[in-house]
Amino acid sequence: MTSLDSKRRFIGAQNKAAGQYFENMIERSLKWHEDRGLMRVVKTPEPMKPIRQLNQQGQFLACYTKKAQVDFSGTLAGGRAIRFEAKQTDTDRFTRERLSEDQMKDLEANEQLGALCFVLICFGFDHVYRIPWHIWRDMKEVFGRKYVTEADVSKYRLPFEDGAIQILTEPITEEGETTL
């Protein structure tokens, strides 16, 4: 194994751990919101099919059966649907293409039906932003390029309270808009 291969594996392991940490933060935050009757949102399981039976350790080999869906979906108090994708980075920017075409189509279709749709992004581990779907979708027109930096999305930053990301920091109006 070359040093480049070792470095790639290390970076891959680091990215996986950072993504898992962010996902755990979101799960705790969703529980906080649910405990207060604000929403019920769950992680969307990845669609997969086992291709080998369980082994002695309880493991099995599987393959994904279709492209990734959005990460989270559920219902807000009052009955409105909510769907969002979550992404974390240790770099200084997020490109629009971090979402797959299928994920973008899903968010677009659900927003057109009245769902609250957004992309939840995290720079490092302590700065989380809720980017409305239409802003992410129209990133090129809004920001003049197909990526955003923290400075670009500063007005969408979410506070933390009681160890939870405050995903719903503003009331949602009938028209589906927030002041964020």
Side-chain angles (χ1 to χ4, degrees):
M1 180 183 317
T2 68
S3 65
L4 183 58
D5 289 337
S6 295
K7 184 176 181 180
R8 284 184 181 149
R9 281 188 174 173
F10 178 75
I11 291 170
Q14 245 184 338
N15 290 342
K16 185 175 181 177
Q20 187 61 53
Y21 179 81
F22 182 44
E23 190 171 301
N24 291 341
M25 281 175 43
I26 294 168
E27 292 284 352
R28 284 191 308 275
S29 300
L30 294 174
K31 172 95 172 82
W32 186 95
H33 285 77
E34 184 174 349
D35 289 349
R36 286 154 181 78
L38 300 171
M39 65 177 159
R40 168 116 170 89
V41 175
V42 296
K43 172 91 169 102
T44 307
E46 295 292 338
M48 66 173 70
K49 173 179 85 173
I51 53 178
R52 282 203 194 131
Q53 299 218 357
L54 289 174
N55 65 18
Q56 302 257 350
Q57 293 80 31
Q59 302 166 323
F60 63 91
L61 185 61
C63 65
Y64 292 110
T65 58
K66 62 182 189 177
K67 297 189 185 214
Q69 302 172 38
V70 293
D71 288 331
F72 296 92
S73 61
T75 308
L76 298 169
R80 185 173 180 200
I82 179 173
R83 293 183 66 81
F84 66 94
E85 177 65 15
K87 299 289 184 190
Q88 187 276 337
T89 190
D90 290 321
T91 68
D92 65 345
R93 65 183 61 178
F94 273 97
T95 60
R96 185 176 181 276
E97 285 71 31
R98 288 283 303 268
L99 274 66
S100 71
E101 280 299 317
D102 286 344
Q103 290 167 329
M104 289 192 263
K105 285 177 185 176
D106 179 273
L107 291 169
E108 182 67 24
N110 280 281
E111 185 171 87
Q112 286 181 9
L113 291 170
L116 174 63
C117 296
F118 55 91
V119 181
L120 196 68
I121 63 174
C122 181
F123 288 91
F125 293 113
D126 57 348
H127 299 142
V128 179
Y129 303 84
R130 187 181 94 180
I131 314 302
W133 165 243
H134 61 276
I135 299 295
W136 188 273
R137 179 195 63 212
D138 300 336
M139 188 183 289
K140 174 86 168 135
E141 292 76 27
V142 174
F143 301 106
R145 57 194 186 287
K146 288 189 172 185
Y147 71 86
V148 294
T149 65
E150 264 191 280
D152 294 330
V153 297
S154 62
K155 72 180 182 178
Y156 302 110
R157 186 168 175 186
L158 298 176
F160 287 84
E161 181 181 310
D162 296 332
I165 305 164
Q166 300 301 292
I167 295 169
L168 301 176
T169 59
E170 295 286 333
I172 310 302
T173 67
E174 291 280 324
E175 296 78 33
E177 296 295 320
T178 69
T179 57
L180 291 176

